[in-house]
Amino acid sequence: MPPEQCLEWSKKEYIAKPPIWCSVDLRDGNQALITPMSLEEKIEFFKLLVRIGFKEIEVGFPAASQTEYKFLRILIEQNLIPEDVSVQVLTQAREHIIKKTYEALSGCKNAIVHVYNSTSFAQRQQVFKKSRQEVKEIAIQGARYLVEFAKNTEGNFRFEYSPESFSGTEMEYALEVSNAVIDVFQPTQDRKLILNLPATVEMSLPHVYASQVEYMSKNIHERENVLISLHPHNDRGCAVADAELGILAGADRIEGTLFGNGERTGNVDIVALALNMHTHGVDSGLDFSNIPKICEVYERVTKMNVYERAPYAGKLVFAAFSGSHQDAIAKGMAYHKEQNLSTWSVPYLPIDPQDVGREYESDVIRINSQSGKGGIAYILHTYFGIDLPASFKEAFSYHVKDLSDKAHKELCASEICEIFQRDFVNLKTPLEILDYSFNKSQDSMSVELEVRLDSKYKNLCARGNGRLDSIANALRDNLGLEFEILDYSEHSLKEGSSSQAISYVQIKNSQGKFFGAGLDTDIVTASILGLLSAINQSLRSNNAQFEKACDNALEI
């Protein structure tokens, strides 16, 4: 903890404005890859970062290798750096390395030269074997070199200093070193110094890091001319929390990577951090409206994978398999549409998936053996305009979940529709109505039917109080079928004269309840096919009923 308690940040409830963003994908992220990016891949990634909206991009450690040096020269010489973008380069606080760095930067319109040296107790004791004063002198001399070489190099340069391993440094000593460096740089309002406070190794709870940041913010020299930057790593899995609380504590800037790639457990995930702000109505200034495309480029050039459950970007983060979740989402989506709401509040979805380029149909409601009737009905309605009655929804959902369970797999929308059509729509075996004609009298409707029952062709007739009732009576009276129509409904699948009608019929007999659907351009035909489908469901499940109907058909 810092020497004095710093907790003013804890009184703030939200981040009011975004920080300055700096992507370190091409340096910190690249050095953490099993196979670092090629020159062509780095250029493609740089262009992606520019499109997303980063105005500060760390492009490498040009003095470390010829590839890093060449990449920076290509960016400068081929004029690939937009006027409003600054490239950032990293250098150790050593004269020959700083000299090489400036050679690589020659002619750069806007650049940030980032110098660092480690200040932690462990590094001083075990690695450098130097005293506090000696380590501070390294930082001071490095800052002097940056100022000196900048004067003799063509270009426009700003400066950044990092007390590396800040998270493992005694706070009063981190402040002492930082103030000494600030005094060398003598920042102004027009040319502010970036003081970067990295959680090089995440060593504490996020609130401790935030208090350290607030301590530095309150006590550094020239605070009005200094931008406090954070570079949180994710060793404890709290990098996003470190960054968010650090911003509340006074940080002006964040260094991180797309999807959190970086050494060990990685850096702070800027996608998650920026979209967290989006959920609170704060415009991050970064464009993540096409996350699938960003993931595609990222995975291709880095050879890394975006975890399926990575916040906002993972393929499954909006997916609801649970029945209760699906039901709540489906109802919430319908409510939003009905009420034309301007703010997002759908249950279980922290943001509108379409804000990041995701589709409701393929990304939100996913069907497997754990799904519920609401989700399955949502798929049918959203994809195909099929609006099942409540009782039918339940029966169909059990049917689909049983098939998914037996197949041990998720079912896509097309498979669900195929199951519905195959097992419930326009079923014509074992019973088929080949032809029919109606004759309406004053108080009833008569029908003549030609049917086929398991290769037997028969003519039937009966009367009823309507078309469907007369057909039902014909099948009951002549074939001995036992059923009662419990429910009937219908609707059009689409608007227009060529639209199809769909009917839903539920029947009941001594064996249980059975459902069928009929689909046709003619609503009467659709209703007859719906009744026939429900009856065929019954006959298929009840061998005795089927045999009885066949015997009665022989007697007609």
Side-chain angles (χ1 to χ4, degrees), residues 405-475:
D405 190 35
K406 289 175 179 175
H408 300 290
K409 72 167 191 173
E410 178 187 356
L411 298 175
C412 67
S414 60
E415 289 175 308
I416 292 168
C417 187
E418 181 183 341
I419 290 168
F420 180 67
Q421 292 176 331
R422 181 193 68 204
D423 296 342
F424 292 91
V425 179
N426 294 2
L427 303 184
K428 297 180 180 179
T429 58
L431 177 64
E432 181 179 8
I433 297 177
L434 302 174
D435 194 13
Y436 60 86
S437 63
F438 295 104
N439 184 23
K440 180 174 175 53
S441 63
Q442 187 173 2
D443 58 354
S444 66
M445 179 77 69
S446 64
V447 66
E448 291 184 2
L449 297 177
E450 182 183 356
V451 302
R452 179 190 57 79
L453 178 62
D454 192 35
S455 76
K456 302 174 183 65
Y457 294 84
K458 297 296 176 183
N459 293 314
L460 315 177
C461 62
R463 303 184 72 84
N465 56 21
R467 288 182 173 86
L468 201 60
D469 185 54
S470 63
I471 287 182
N473 288 338
L475 297 176

Side-chain angles (χ1 to χ4, degrees), residues 321-324 326 366-372 401 404-405:
F321 292 99
S322 161
S324 60
Q326 291 175 348
R366 306 281 291 269
I367 304 302
N368 63 14
S369 61
Q370 304 303 306
S371 302
K401 291 195 293 181
S404 175
D405 190 35

Side-chain angles (χ1 to χ4, degrees), residues 196-234:
N196 193 47
L197 305 177
T200 307
V201 178
E202 193 179 27
M203 304 173 72
S204 66
L205 294 172
H207 76 283
V208 174
Y209 182 58
S211 297
Q212 293 170 335
V213 170
E214 187 171 273
Y215 169 76
M216 295 292 288
S217 178
K218 285 184 172 182
N219 291 283
I220 57 171
H221 295 172
E222 303 282 350
R223 177 64 181 96
E224 68 279 7
N225 299 325
V226 175
L227 297 172
I228 290 185
S229 176
L230 306 183
H231 185 114
H233 277 251
N234 200 40

Side-chain angles (χ1 to χ4, degrees), residues 61-66 68-69 97 100:
F61 199 137
S65 73
Q66 187 58 31
E68 300 276 282
Y69 188 99
I97 294 177
K100 182 77 171 179

Side-chain angles (χ1 to χ4, degrees), residues 504-523:
Y504 310 103
V505 180
Q506 178 187 4
I507 66 171
K508 177 183 179 182
N509 60 26
S510 59
Q511 302 302 312
K513 297 176 183 178
F514 300 90
F515 298 84
L519 185 63
D520 197 84
T521 56
D522 178 68
I523 186 58

Side-chain angles (χ1 to χ4, degrees), residues 285-542:
L286 299 177
D287 182 2
F288 291 120
S289 62
N290 192 350
I291 281 289
K293 178 60 178 177
I294 294 171
C295 289
E296 185 276 319
V297 175
Y298 171 84
E299 292 186 331
R300 176 163 46 78
V301 302
T302 67
K303 313 302 185 293
M304 299 283 284
N305 294 318
V306 177
Y307 174 48
E308 289 87 347
R309 300 291 183 186
Y312 305 106
K315 292 180 180 178
L316 295 178
V317 296
F318 297 113
F321 292 99
S322 161
S324 60
H325 287 210
Q326 291 175 348
D327 182 62
I329 290 172
K331 290 175 179 176
M333 301 273 274
Y335 183 81
H336 266 247
K337 186 175 181 179
E338 292 165 3
Q339 301 296 320
N340 194 27
L341 298 181
S342 59
T343 56
W344 184 257
S345 61
V346 172
Y348 298 113
L349 296 180
I351 65 171
D352 185 343
Q354 290 189 334
D355 287 355
V356 293
R358 303 291 288 275
E359 298 296 328
Y360 298 134
E361 292 84 358
S362 58
D363 292 320
V364 177
I365 303 295
R366 306 281 291 269
I367 304 302
N368 63 14
S369 61
Q370 304 303 306
S371 302
K373 61 183 180 182
I376 294 170
Y378 176 83
I379 292 289
L380 284 180
H381 180 68
T382 304
Y383 268 75
F384 310 106
I386 298 169
D387 191 9
L388 295 179
S391 55
F392 206 156
K393 286 179 185 179
E394 186 171 6
F396 183 62
S397 70
Y398 283 122
H399 183 68
V400 169
K401 291 195 293 181
D402 183 58
L403 293 176
S404 175
D405 190 35
K406 289 175 179 175
H408 300 290
K409 72 167 191 173
E410 178 187 356
L411 298 175
C412 67
S414 60
E415 289 175 308
I416 292 168
C417 187
E418 181 183 341
I419 290 168
F420 180 67
Q421 292 176 331
R422 181 193 68 204
D423 296 342
F424 292 91
V425 179
N426 294 2
L427 303 184
K428 297 180 180 179
T429 58
L431 177 64
E432 181 179 8
I433 297 177
L434 302 174
D435 194 13
Y436 60 86
S437 63
F438 295 104
N439 184 23
K440 180 174 175 53
S441 63
Q442 187 173 2
D443 58 354
S444 66
M445 179 77 69
S446 64
V447 66
E448 291 184 2
L449 297 177
E450 182 183 356
V451 302
R452 179 190 57 79
L453 178 62
D454 192 35
S455 76
K456 302 174 183 65
Y457 294 84
K458 297 296 176 183
N459 293 314
L460 315 177
C461 62
R463 303 184 72 84
N465 56 21
R467 288 182 173 86
L468 201 60
D469 185 54
S470 63
I471 287 182
N473 288 338
L475 297 176
R476 282 191 287 249
D477 296 345
N478 294 281
L479 297 181
L481 297 179
E482 299 174 3
F483 65 89
E484 173 189 356
I485 298 177
L486 290 184
D487 187 45
Y488 171 83
S489 62
E490 64 189 42
H491 66 81
S492 175
L493 284 182
K494 61 180 180 179
E495 296 180 358
S497 59
S498 62
S499 64
Q500 287 189 305
I502 187 167
S503 71
Y504 310 103
V505 180
Q506 178 187 4
I507 66 171
K508 177 183 179 182
N509 60 26
S510 59
Q511 302 302 312
K513 297 176 183 178
F514 300 90
F515 298 84
L519 185 63
D520 197 84
T521 56
D522 178 68
I523 186 58
V524 174
T525 303
S527 64
I528 294 170
L529 289 171
L531 174 62
L532 190 63
S533 295
I535 291 171
N536 278 320
Q537 283 271 10
S538 171
L539 292 174
R540 291 177 182 183
S541 67
N542 186 345

Side-chain angles (χ1 to χ4, degrees), residues 22-24 27 56-58 87-93 98 102 111-117 139 142-143 146 157-163 181 185 191-198 226-231 253-255:
C22 177
S23 161
V24 295
R27 197 277 303 171
E56 298 181 1
I57 302 172
E58 191 167 77
V87 293
Q88 180 171 302
V89 294
L90 188 67
T91 178
Q92 294 174 331
I98 293 173
Y102 274 98
I112 299 167
V113 188
H114 180 185
V115 66
Y116 73 96
N117 70 304
L146 254 63
F157 307 112
R158 292 182 288 144
F159 306 120
E160 176 175 352
Y161 172 68
S162 288
V181 169
F185 283 119
R191 195 168 295 274
K192 293 184 178 183
L193 172 68
I194 299 170
L195 176 62
N196 193 47
L197 305 177
V226 175
L227 297 172
I228 290 185
S229 176
L230 306 183
H231 185 114
R253 182 176 184 268
I254 295 292
E255 294 186 348

